[in-house]
């Protein structure tokens, strides 16, 4: 419940207390998706769906770090979203 309550309107999660993008919003969102899926949620659950939609909308220029790329791939693979 806590993670879901912290989801931003655009579907992402932030690692900054002030709610700004902070560092690695793509990585933080991907890790949160993995956590939700490991807790029993699926790609059909609204918080996961919003997060996956957010990740899909990110421009390739935002994927400038291997860490973010790897986590996005892991999140989509775990979600098994067709």
């Amino acid at each position: 419940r806590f993670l879901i309550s912290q989801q931003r309107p655009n579907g992402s999660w932030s690692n900054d207390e002030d709610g700004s993008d902070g560092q690695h919003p793509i990585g933080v969102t991907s890790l949160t998706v993995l956590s939700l899926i490991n807790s029993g949620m699926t790609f059909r659950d609204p918080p996961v769906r919003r997060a996956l939609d957010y990740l899909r909308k990110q421009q390739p220029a935002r994927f400038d770090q291997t860490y973010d790329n790897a986590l996005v791939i892991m999140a989509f693979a775990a979600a098994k979203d067709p």
Side-chain angles (χ1 to χ4, degrees), residues 28-72:
V28 171
T29 299
S30 298
L31 283 170
T32 306
V33 168
L34 286 168
S35 297
L36 294 175
I37 289 171
N38 284 320
S39 76
M41 293 184 116
T42 72
F43 69 88
R44 290 182 178 91
D45 290 295
V48 175
R49 169 65 47 214
R50 284 192 301 272
L52 294 174
D53 289 345
Y54 165 81
L55 292 172
R56 278 192 188 92
K57 291 176 184 173
Q58 299 312 299
Q59 299 298 317
R62 300 242 7 225
F63 290 96
D64 61 347
Q65 301 208 6
T66 304
Y67 170 82
D68 291 338
N69 289 329
L71 290 172
V72 168

Side-chain angles (χ1 to χ4, degrees), residues 6-35:
Q6 299 302 303
Q7 189 173 30
R8 297 166 72 193
N10 69 359
S12 70
W13 278 267
S14 173
N15 62 340
D16 275 1
E17 290 180 22
D18 66 1
S20 66
D21 267 354
Q23 294 184 0
H24 305 284
I26 294 169
V28 171
T29 299
S30 298
L31 283 170
T32 306
V33 168
L34 286 168
S35 297

